[in-house]
Amino acid sequence: MEIVLTEINDPNIVLETITSKKQYLENKSPEKIKQKIAKPPKAKKEDNNKSTVYNLYNDNQRINFISKMIDLPLGSRKAAKVARELGINVRTAQRWWSHYLETEELPFKKTTRITGRHSQFTEEPQRFVKQMVVDNPQTTVDEVLENVTSEFKDLTISRTQL
């Protein structure tokens, strides 16, 4: 059993009540303080508000990737390796390759844009024309064109478009 000192007779020793770890570390003698190893600060996550940068690959890059993959022997076909050589995102290349294996078609980008001019012939003029034809099935294209352009002043439409 250890001997515990319960009385302090030395007037140079001062006892303080320590209530927190911070106080303890401040009052601890310097020879007992271990040097803390400085850890590099953790990288903060970037805000989700920032826009993501997308790579736009042209059809030549897609064709080049697929042809290189086909040229490789079966055992060494690694989409990631070929993608890195060509500067293509690895996951994108893997998606292209799986698409090619499933469909045997080149993974061309499907355009979502409508090419050409937007038609002025919207739903309202279309309903008007349909109603005209229902009311009088004997009506001619010229009569329909004349009535539509008189009813809708801003609309310019040709016979072929009608």
Side-chain angles (χ1 to χ4, degrees):
M1 184 169 203
E2 283 187 49
I3 299 173
V4 178
L5 184 61
T6 56
E7 289 184 23
I8 300 174
N9 296 329
D10 188 2
N12 295 330
I13 298 176
V14 179
L15 293 179
E16 291 182 24
T17 305
I18 298 177
T19 57
S20 69
K21 185 178 179 182
K22 183 178 178 184
Q23 266 186 327
Y24 169 75
L25 292 174
E26 287 173 356
N27 293 328
K28 193 174 184 182
S29 60
E31 61 269 0
K32 291 185 178 179
I33 295 177
K34 295 179 182 177
Q35 293 182 354
K36 293 183 180 180
I37 300 172
K39 294 181 182 178
K42 292 182 181 178
K44 294 182 181 178
K45 291 183 180 179
E46 293 184 21
D47 293 338
N48 291 337
N49 297 339
K50 293 184 180 179
S51 61
T52 305
V53 177
Y54 292 99
N55 294 329
L56 299 176
Y57 301 107
N58 60 30
D59 291 338
N60 289 336
Q61 288 173 301
R62 296 164 193 260
I63 293 168
N64 193 14
F65 170 74
I66 295 297
S67 63
K68 279 198 177 214
M69 287 294 291
I70 292 170
D71 291 343
L72 290 174
L74 278 175
S76 64
R77 286 186 181 168
K78 304 282 188 212
K81 183 179 178 185
V82 175
R84 285 187 200 104
E85 288 174 7
L86 297 174
I88 299 171
N89 181 289
V90 172
R91 183 63 190 110
T92 303
Q94 290 169 343
R95 191 174 57 250
W96 290 349
W97 183 240
S98 65
H99 177 269
Y100 178 77
L101 292 176
E102 291 171 10
T103 63
E104 293 189 7
E105 295 177 0
L106 293 173
F108 292 118
K109 186 174 182 180
K110 296 175 183 106
T111 182
T112 56
R113 292 188 211 166
I114 299 171
T115 56
R117 281 186 2 195
H118 295 285
S119 177
Q120 294 177 337
F121 199 59
T122 57
E123 290 182 31
E124 192 176 351
Q126 285 179 4
R127 276 189 259 125
F128 180 79
V129 169
K130 286 178 184 176
Q131 189 61 41
M132 249 184 91
V133 173
V134 168
D135 292 343
N136 184 8
Q138 298 292 325
T139 189
T140 64
V141 175
D142 291 329
E143 290 173 351
V144 172
L145 184 62
E146 183 179 319
N147 288 336
V148 168
T149 53
S150 66
E151 183 72 23
F152 302 97
K153 302 290 182 193
D154 297 333
L155 182 68
T156 55
I157 188 169
S158 66
R159 285 185 73 194
T160 55
Q161 191 177 7
L162 183 61

